[in-house]
Amino acid sequence: MQNTAQALATVVADLNGAAEAIWLATQSFCPALSLEVLPQCASTNTVLMDRGRLGDTQTTLVVAAEQTAGRGRRGRQWLAHPGQTLTFSLGIALNLDQVPGGGSALSLAVGLAVADALDAGMASFASATGLAPHRPMGLKWPNDLWIGGRNLGGILIEACPAPGLPSSQRWVVIGIGLNVQGTPSAPEATSLIRPDQAALTIGQVWQWVAPTLIRRVHAFERHGFAPLQEAYARRDVLLGQQIGLWSTPGQSPGDGYPPNQIGLAQGVDTFGALVVHTDQGQQTWSSGDVSVRPRPN
């Protein structure tokens, strides 16, 4: 038990150091940012959603060394293993109703921000440690980060009205989970680095990602997704691929159900919707309507 407690304390200390660096890096464009490091919680998203419903809507980053009941898209479980998995959430008041694509497009903008920050961070890390250059991050619509055909992490965005906010704004919580090191239990998952390659901490990765994320969310609220469409296309792992689409509530590819439709992914539009050519013609899908998987060749 003592070794476990010591390991957790080491992770918390790492995250506290990163929090100080993030605070300094964001003062010029988000001076009121609040940062919290939790040794353990059920879900960082739940922590911030509960606060927003009570009217606490200060822009806040919450990170947990260990997450015991994290949630992914469509209620899937996402656990954080101390020192191996980075799980954090950003709570921020946004006027999404006036942004083309709203929350669906925000998920894509967030994915692009995280991918850009990880590529820059890993390039610097590889140069400093002598590792081989890192493969560029891919994005799988609507909310997954991929490397080499495997899932590195995901994004969960939730929103609700909140006391004290104007009627045009909602309290938006952006949750991010990333496998930093170790060997994930799921065969389709991967990590940024193996423990035998070099020492990379979740605090370092949080420090890479958080400032870019906050800056890009502010930009998205002002300009929407359209200026990001081309950059997203360069990372789109589904573009030009045969895909299956599951649109029946309660049925998902992981549960063995066959897809409702099959089609050719043709990228995303300026609203962040997935464009697919099917036997019924061209269709567009928003992120809450469908699950997507690439089809084997």
Side-chain angles (χ1 to χ4, degrees), residues 14-98:
D14 171 49
L15 291 170
N16 278 326
E20 182 176 354
I22 293 167
W23 186 84
L24 291 171
T26 56
Q27 284 304 288
S28 63
F29 58 91
C30 193
L33 177 66
S34 173
L35 295 101
E36 297 182 32
V37 176
L38 304 178
Q40 184 186 77
C41 73
S43 162
T44 56
N45 260 41
T46 298
V47 168
L48 287 177
M49 286 296 290
D50 288 347
R51 290 184 189 178
R53 293 187 180 103
L54 294 174
D56 182 358
T57 55
Q58 179 181 3
T59 301
T60 302
L61 280 170
V62 172
V63 66
E66 183 176 22
Q67 185 171 264
T68 59
R71 293 171 288 111
R73 184 168 172 260
R74 296 197 165 196
R76 299 184 184 95
Q77 188 180 44
W78 183 282
L79 299 180
H81 303 290
Q84 296 186 4
T85 310
L86 172 63
T87 52
F88 74 97
S89 297
L90 169 66
I92 187 170
L94 295 175
N95 185 0
L96 286 183
D97 291 341
Q98 302 302 315

Side-chain angles (χ1 to χ4, degrees), residues 12-293:
V12 170
D14 171 49
L15 291 170
N16 278 326
E20 182 176 354
I22 293 167
W23 186 84
L24 291 171
T26 56
Q27 284 304 288
S28 63
F29 58 91
C30 193
L33 177 66
S34 173
L35 295 101
E36 297 182 32
V37 176
L38 304 178
Q40 184 186 77
C41 73
S43 162
T44 56
N45 260 41
T46 298
V47 168
L48 287 177
M49 286 296 290
D50 288 347
R51 290 184 189 178
R53 293 187 180 103
L54 294 174
D56 182 358
T57 55
Q58 179 181 3
T59 301
T60 302
L61 280 170
V62 172
V63 66
E66 183 176 22
Q67 185 171 264
T68 59
R71 293 171 288 111
R73 184 168 172 260
R74 296 197 165 196
R76 299 184 184 95
Q77 188 180 44
W78 183 282
L79 299 180
H81 303 290
Q84 296 186 4
T85 310
L86 172 63
T87 52
F88 74 97
S89 297
L90 169 66
I92 187 170
L94 295 175
N95 185 0
L96 286 183
D97 291 341
Q98 302 302 315
V99 180
S104 295
L106 176 60
S107 179
L108 277 63
V110 167
L112 186 58
V114 174
D116 287 347
L118 289 176
D119 273 354
M122 286 301 296
S124 177
F125 181 74
S127 177
T129 58
L131 290 178
H134 198 75
R135 287 173 292 178
M137 303 289 160
L139 295 170
K140 176 186 165 292
W141 186 93
N143 65 337
D144 289 333
L145 292 108
W146 275 24
I147 299 179
R150 292 188 176 184
N151 192 340
L152 177 74
I155 299 158
L156 175 66
I157 297 178
E158 301 177 284
C160 68
L165 290 183
S167 59
S168 61
Q169 287 190 329
R170 282 178 289 164
W171 177 240
V172 179
V173 176
I174 301 167
I176 295 173
L178 297 169
N179 299 319
V180 173
Q181 64 176 350
T183 305
S185 56
E188 69 276 9
T190 190
S191 297
L192 276 174
I193 197 169
R194 298 192 312 268
D196 62 336
Q197 288 182 303
L200 177 64
T201 72
I202 62 173
Q204 286 175 275
V205 177
W206 190 36
Q207 190 175 329
W208 295 342
V209 171
T212 299
L213 171 65
I214 297 170
R215 190 186 297 273
R216 295 283 191 87
V217 168
H218 285 153
F220 173 83
E221 186 181 29
R222 293 192 302 270
H223 306 298
F225 180 73
L228 306 174
Q229 187 182 16
E230 289 187 11
Y232 186 91
R234 290 192 290 270
R235 295 189 183 272
D236 187 352
V237 300
L238 298 180
L239 182 62
Q241 301 294 314
Q242 286 286 336
I243 60 173
L245 301 107
W246 285 257
S247 55
T248 301
Q251 296 185 7
S252 66
D255 298 324
Y257 292 98
N260 300 104
Q261 293 188 70
I262 296 170
L264 182 69
Q266 298 183 317
V268 298
D269 64 16
T270 57
F271 296 90
L274 178 68
V275 181
V276 185
H277 181 76
T278 71
D279 290 341
Q280 290 76 41
Q282 183 168 292
Q283 300 184 17
T284 59
W285 296 90
S286 296
S287 62
D289 300 333
V290 66
S291 289
V292 180
R293 293 290 187 277

